[in-house]
Amino acid sequence: MTTIQRILDLAAEAPATHGEDLVLLLREANELYQQGLRDLHQEVAARLDGLATADLMLATDTAGMACDTSQDRDELILLLALVEWEMTPAALAYVEMAEGAARRGVCLIPEE
């Protein structure tokens, strides 16, 4: 099963899951979300390998991500990967799942 499919499956399970089981589900989905972003980051880095830094800055700005001249190529590529990742069905499902869990009082970040 792919990372994306597993996130989608977890998101489908979330509404019927409660308490500690929901925390475990969120934790797994969060790890998969991060893995999906890392995988896509590598793909985007390879795809944009020959692009000049100025072109990366323009692409980042066009994508709606704030950037400045202090950011290096790696940071710009990560921003572009993040924009692309956030539009995937898996990322959208994860965000919806996390927001739904938060509305029910379940969050991965403990309250202080």
Side-chain angles (χ1 to χ4, degrees), residues 63-74:
M65 295 297 279
C67 68
D68 60 56
T69 55
S70 70
Q71 291 175 298
D72 64 20
R73 288 183 58 78
D74 291 337

Side-chain angles (χ1 to χ4, degrees), residues 6 8 10-11 16 19 22 26 36 39 54 69 71 79 86 89 102 104-105:
R6 182 64 182 147
L8 295 173
L10 292 169
L22 183 54
L26 281 171
D39 293 346
T69 55
Q71 291 175 298
L79 286 173
E86 287 179 340
R104 295 189 287 154

Side-chain angles (χ1 to χ4, degrees), residues 80-99:
L80 290 168
L82 181 60
V83 167
E84 192 172 325
W85 173 248
E86 287 179 340
M87 301 312 297
T88 66
L92 293 169
Y94 172 77
V95 168
E96 186 177 318
M97 175 180 61
E99 288 173 351

Side-chain angles (χ1 to χ4, degrees), residues 9-23 25 97 100-101 104:
D9 289 349
L10 292 169
E13 289 178 41
T17 307
H18 305 281
E20 186 60 29
D21 290 337
L22 183 54
V23 172
L25 186 141
M97 175 180 61
R104 295 189 287 154

Side-chain angles (χ1 to χ4, degrees), residues 1-11 13 24-40 85 88 90-91 94 97 108:
M1 178 178 297
T2 67
T3 299
I4 292 170
Q5 185 57 53
R6 182 64 182 147
I7 292 172
L8 295 173
D9 289 349
L10 292 169
E13 289 178 41
L24 293 172
L25 186 141
L26 281 171
R27 189 169 292 129
E28 180 182 352
N30 182 277
E31 290 171 13
L32 292 167
Y33 179 97
Q34 300 304 321
Q35 181 62 50
L37 177 57
R38 281 190 299 272
D39 293 346
L40 183 61
W85 173 248
T88 66
Y94 172 77
M97 175 180 61
L108 289 178

